[in-house]
Amino acid sequence: MPTQITLAKGLNMGLRKAMENDPKVLIMGEDVGKLGGVFRVTDGLQKDFGEDRVLDTPLAESGIVGTAIGLALRGYRPVVEIQFDGFVYPAFDQIVSQLAKMHMRSLGHVKLPVTIRIPYGGGIGAVEHHSESPEAYFAHTAGLKVVSCSNPVDAYWMIQQSIACDDPVIFFEPKRRYWDKAELDESATPHPLFAARVVRPGGDVTLVAYGPMVKVCLDAAAAAEEENRSLEVIDLRSLSPLDVDAVCRSVERTGRLVVVHEAPVFLGMGAEIAARVTERCFYSLEAPVLRVGGFHTPYPPSRLEEDYLPDLDRVLDAVDRSLAY
Amino acid sequence: MHVIVDSSPGTSPGPELVQLLTPEGERVEHPEYSIELSPQEYRGLYRDLVLVRRVDAEAVALQRQGELGIWASLLGQEAAQVGAGRAMGPNDYAFPTYREHGVAWCRDVDPLNLLGLFRGVNHGGWDPNEHNFHLYTIVIGAQTLHAVGYAMGMQRDGSGAAVLAFFGDGATSQGDVNEAFNFAGVYNAPVVFFCQNNQWAISEPLERQTRAPLYRRASGFGFPGVRVDGNDVLACLAVTREALDYAREGNGPILIEAFTYRMGAHTTSDDPSRYRLQSELEAWKLKDPIERYKRFLIKNSLADSDFFAEVDAESERLARHMRDGCRALPDPEPLSLFDHVYAEGHPLVDEERAQFAAYLSADVDATAERGEG
Ligand SMILES: Cc1ncc(C[n+]2csc(CCOP(=O)(O)OP(=O)(O)O)c2C)c(N)n1
């Protein structure tokens, strides 16, 4: 029976399902137990599964990820919460030098089914280090899989699929969408974790986004329709692996591509997508691939974030520029 | 000889606690620490405590009114911060977290300047070198290493000054903090680590951070640790003064654990009723740092009602200064996004600034064309 849930609730339900289905699933992080996380994503889980399965850890991100690796080596499936995007860096060594490489170093003898949940992105009026989009660092690292949900239904399925995955998964949660609502039908068949999805079909320009920017692109497409422009919106869902096929299928029809993300444009996901699409669909392109994203500046004080963050107008401006070629 | 294994972090303070003032405001002697101040200095500490609490209360109110995005309250920690802050000499340098509003006060940072970060108009609104008070650091524990490095610099310069590094009980779990302890020990750096153990790191109690009392950690790194009553401004002042002297004299680092309590929420976004009992707060209210100090002043005839009235009046003026000043803090210009990213500039930043400026003015033109301007 479909129920109306928020994105945070979708994650919470997905985590609960994963814990019910597999006694090896553990949750670890700062304030995830009694408080249920600062965004309440793990609300009620410690109460129902106990302190052995939902661990309020010491305040040490490297410690959290490092011990999660050890637990994974011992056959557990830790789901780690990093409280905010800007606090993942103390764990960077454990993630990129240890977690990402261990399967290969062991010649495949050990598996590292660790899921690292990171609330990310801006738009909530927070102080510094609470609004960043560090996904490119992780997508750049071989050995990690990187995904981001954009809506409550995907949140519910994707967190379960990530936990079930035998590779380490960095799971980015668009924090400003935690309170967005949608209908969840738990009896539906989930979309494959690493596949992109066309969330709005269209014929004139392809918009590619993920996480928090999917909604911005959908809004832009709705606004463009009033001007008789038909925009196709693709939700990437997975950043590594990257579903280039899905993007190319669309670009071969539209001939135009705009990639949108909050993260800085320079060496971001858009750069990779632009390069691959140019290689694969050069003769279909009517315009260069354009990117809309953050600037080469630290994330600004919150009173400037509306200027900094890509919004509907900046997306449509890029659409105009693409169509002007 | 026998080995003592301590497997509790000491959530009740224990006999090792340095105290010069009981919760009832009774002056008590301590074998190692003492303090003698002039009546004016005694009154000065009271003024600090009251004004710092007022700054905090006003900021909480401003957040409630939507003028600040968030605020991290120091309620309950005034004595620890004023005691430590007033122990500093003019050439000493402090490295704060995001909660050291009381230390900022002692370093003559206008409380208004603290609001910028929390209002979202800047990332820290003062020149650290003007006040010997570094910017607030939100990433837990990171500043302790900066403090040690700064102290190593002071050591090389023969400055004869010392650094005071602030952090919380939760921070003691971070690698950075333990690395800072170790570097300071190895290089004999003139740094005083000042840990405000306010018993909570958001929702996590001390037991989730440590199995042994925090002040004892110092001994493993080869330097002394002392636990002081963090709600006793005289003890905090005496202990920090002596620790700074010790560091300045070339003896290396020292750790102070100020045993105190976070009486408010972690920040204005937090709801402590989800994780701690009201009775715990009520018990700590009886140890309130300001109440006990006021009783001490009165008992010893160090202040009269005129003095208290004057402090209250000053507190009102300060609150008005903050309210008016906060509302007047302008939002930054959009193009200021690109300022100060590099000391020597960067062509990509210049390029993006120019593009964004063009985009913004085109936007204005478009709006004007539609007659919506
Ligand atoms: C590296 C890092 N991880 C997580 C956080 C989120 N966070 C902010 S304050 C806090 C608790 C800090 O507790 P403590 O060190 O005891 O200081 P207090 O806030 O109690 O003064 C946490 C987990 C952070 N700011 N930095």
Side-chain angles (χ1 to χ4, degrees):
Chain A
M1 199 184 40
T3 42
Q4 188 82 0
I5 57 159
T6 62
L7 194 152
K9 183 67 182 169
L11 292 167
N12 180 270
M13 290 170 67
L15 288 167
R16 177 177 289 278
K17 261 267 151 55
M19 295 189 82
E20 281 166 2
N21 292 343
D22 182 351
K24 295 290 188 188
V25 173
L26 306 178
I27 289 178
M28 307 170 65
E30 295 155 10
D31 306 290
V32 297
K34 201 150 189 189
L35 185 67
V38 293
F39 293 107
R40 309 291 184 261
V41 168
T42 54
D43 194 22
L45 298 179
Q46 187 182 68
K47 196 168 136 273
D48 294 342
F49 294 95
E51 293 188 14
D52 269 358
R53 291 192 66 196
V54 181
L55 287 73
D56 270 329
T57 66
L59 206 179
E61 290 75 14
S62 179
I64 299 168
V65 175
T67 54
I69 290 172
L71 281 156
L73 294 174
R74 182 66 197 178
Y76 286 86
R77 281 185 186 268
V79 184
V80 163
E81 174 176 305
I82 300 292
Q83 201 161 77
F84 283 89
D85 35 63
F87 307 138
V88 69
Y89 308 114
F92 203 61
D93 171 65
Q94 287 293 345
I95 297 173
V96 304
S97 297
Q98 305 300 328
L99 183 62
K101 297 186 167 89
M102 219 171 265
H103 182 258
M104 186 199 197
R105 289 172 53 230
S106 77
L107 304 176
H109 289 299
V110 298
K111 293 196 172 65
L112 279 303
V114 177
T115 303
I116 301 181
R117 300 180 31 241
I118 309 179
Y120 82 123
I124 63 160
V127 292
E128 56 178 353
H129 316 297
H130 292 72
S131 302
E132 299 180 6
S133 296
E135 62 272 20
Y137 298 127
F138 301 99
H140 189 65
T141 300
L144 303 176
K145 290 178 174 165
V146 183
V147 303
S148 179
C149 55
S150 69
N151 62 74
V153 176
D154 277 358
Y156 173 76
W157 294 114
M158 287 172 71
I159 190 67
Q160 294 181 66
Q161 294 166 316
S162 298
I163 294 168
C165 177
D166 274 345
D167 286 310
V169 177
I170 315 294
F171 191 96
F172 282 103
E173 303 172 359
K175 69 171 85 81
R176 70 159 125 162
R177 306 287 176 222
Y178 272 143
W179 305 280
D180 286 6
K181 287 192 174 158
E183 293 263 301
L184 172 69
D185 176 1
E186 288 181 81
S187 66
T189 309
H191 199 68
L193 178 59
F194 301 114
R197 182 162 52 203
V198 176
V199 287
R200 181 186 171 112
D204 295 337
V205 179
T206 304
L207 296 182
V208 163
Y210 52 89
M213 283 292 119
V214 173
K215 181 171 186 309
V216 170
C217 288
L218 286 170
D219 291 347
E225 189 176 59
E226 287 169 19
E227 294 174 14
N228 288 323
R229 280 177 180 167
S230 158
L231 308 186
E232 176 146 306
V233 181
I234 295 181
D235 180 356
L236 276 183
R237 303 169 80 255
S238 176
L239 309 183
S240 175
L242 184 63
D243 190 352
V244 188
D245 290 349
V247 179
C248 287
R249 274 196 300 276
S250 175
V251 172
E252 276 157 11
R253 282 189 293 104
T254 62
R256 299 173 201 276
L257 174 61
V258 176
V259 186
V260 184
H261 50 59
E262 286 188 22
V265 161
F266 188 67
L267 284 170
M269 287 304 300
E272 182 62 32
I273 294 166
R276 286 190 185 266
V277 167
T278 307
E279 283 163 13
R280 298 249 312 251
C281 319
F282 186 70
Y283 292 106
S284 306
L285 284 170
E286 306 280 349
V289 178
L290 298 181
R291 291 169 291 166
V292 180
F295 303 115
H296 194 62
T297 70
Y299 196 89
S302 62
R303 294 257 171 164
L304 281 179
E305 73 180 341
E306 279 180 33
D307 293 299
Y308 175 89
L309 289 168
D311 59 4
L312 183 142
D313 288 331
R314 272 174 65 199
V315 173
L316 291 179
D317 173 67
V319 166
D320 286 346
R321 282 187 285 126
S322 176
L323 285 164
Y325 275 91
Chain B
M1 187 180 152
H2 63 287
V3 179
I4 301 168
V5 177
D6 202 321
S7 61
S8 116
T11 33
S12 56
E16 71 283 10
L17 189 78
V18 178
Q19 192 177 69
L20 299 178
L21 210 55
T22 67
E24 294 72 38
E26 221 53 75
R27 182 76 171 76
V28 287
E29 292 309 318
H30 188 276
E32 283 168 59
Y33 298 95
S34 85
I35 199 152
E36 213 47 69
L37 301 176
S38 70
Q40 198 182 347
E41 287 170 322
Y42 277 123
R43 286 193 292 273
L45 289 177
Y46 178 82
R47 174 179 169 268
D48 287 338
L49 293 170
V50 169
L51 296 186
V52 160
R53 179 168 288 188
R54 186 56 189 259
V55 164
D56 189 71
E58 206 52 45
V60 171
L62 284 165
Q63 194 280 336
R64 298 271 180 259
Q65 294 154 22
E67 297 292 336
L68 303 179
I70 194 171
W71 179 253
S73 167
L74 63 35
L75 189 66
Q77 299 176 222
E78 297 87 350
Q81 296 193 13
V82 167
R86 287 298 175 209
M88 294 176 72
N91 297 325
D92 297 331
Y93 209 104
F95 284 79
T97 72
Y98 41 81
R99 208 187 287 286
E100 264 67 77
H101 321 310
V103 186
W105 172 260
C106 297
R107 300 312 285 175
D108 288 329
V109 177
D110 185 333
L112 207 48
N113 286 348
L114 305 175
L115 301 183
L117 173 76
F118 297 97
R119 185 172 166 89
V121 299
N122 58 43
H123 289 317
W126 59 92
D127 173 359
N129 292 328
E130 193 187 323
H131 301 279
N132 281 11
F133 184 74
H134 190 66
L135 300 176
Y136 278 181
T137 298
I138 289 176
V139 179
I140 299 296
Q143 76 283 0
T144 56
L145 281 164
H146 313 155
V148 173
Y150 197 94
M152 289 163 65
M154 284 179 156
Q155 190 180 39
R156 277 159 181 69
D157 298 343
S159 74
V163 172
L164 201 48
F166 290 90
F167 53 101
D169 43 290
T172 63
S173 296
Q174 283 287 7
D176 276 7
V177 173
N178 291 278
E179 291 171 28
F181 289 170
N182 196 39
F183 270 67
V186 165
Y187 291 112
N188 205 47
V191 56
V192 175
F193 294 108
F194 195 93
C195 176
Q196 286 166 80
N197 173 3
N198 67 10
Q199 313 301 327
W200 292 92
I202 310 188
S203 73
E204 297 198 21
L206 190 62
E207 295 83 356
R208 291 267 74 84
Q209 308 295 343
T210 181
R211 177 150 150 172
L214 293 174
Y215 74 98
R216 293 234 185 122
R217 193 169 305 176
S219 73
F221 287 97
F223 53 88
V226 49
R227 176 181 272 181
V228 60
D229 184 337
N231 286 16
D232 172 352
V233 68
L234 295 181
C236 288
L237 178 60
V239 169
T240 313
R241 266 189 184 170
E242 198 158 310
L244 284 166
D245 281 342
Y246 175 90
R248 287 189 205 105
E249 284 159 14
N251 298 305
I254 182 166
L255 168 65
I256 299 171
E257 176 191 357
F259 202 83
T260 180
Y261 193 73
R262 192 194 81 206
M263 299 219 293
H266 169 70
T267 65
T268 46
S269 306
D270 176 44
D271 171 13
S273 71
R274 288 181 69 101
Y275 54 82
R276 72 182 189 191
L277 295 171
Q278 182 68 18
S279 57
E280 185 183 283
L281 175 61
E282 295 305 326
W284 274 94
K285 275 188 186 162
L286 302 175
K287 306 183 203 176
D288 185 87
I290 301 188
E291 273 313 302
R292 85 165 71 171
Y293 194 64
K294 187 172 186 182
R295 281 191 211 122
F296 160 76
L297 290 181
I298 293 170
K299 269 185 201 160
N300 293 277
S301 311
L302 287 162
D304 56 18
S305 54
D306 283 354
F307 168 73
F308 293 119
E310 171 47 36
V311 173
D312 285 346
E314 192 178 358
S315 161
E316 291 306 321
R317 289 196 296 276
L318 181 61
R320 201 170 327 116
H321 167 67
M322 285 182 67
R323 278 195 299 273
D324 297 347
C326 179
R327 296 200 172 98
L329 280 179
D331 280 358
E333 289 300 320
L335 290 178
S336 70
L337 268 170
F338 302 95
D339 293 349
H340 310 299
V341 180
Y342 292 90
E344 298 189 0
H346 190 295
L348 178 57
V349 176
D350 296 342
E351 185 188 320
E352 289 185 349
R353 182 196 283 112
Q355 282 169 354
F356 193 52
Y359 169 80
L360 288 176
S361 53
D363 216 34
V364 171
D365 292 347
T367 310
E369 250 170 53
R370 287 198 300 271
E372 295 166 9

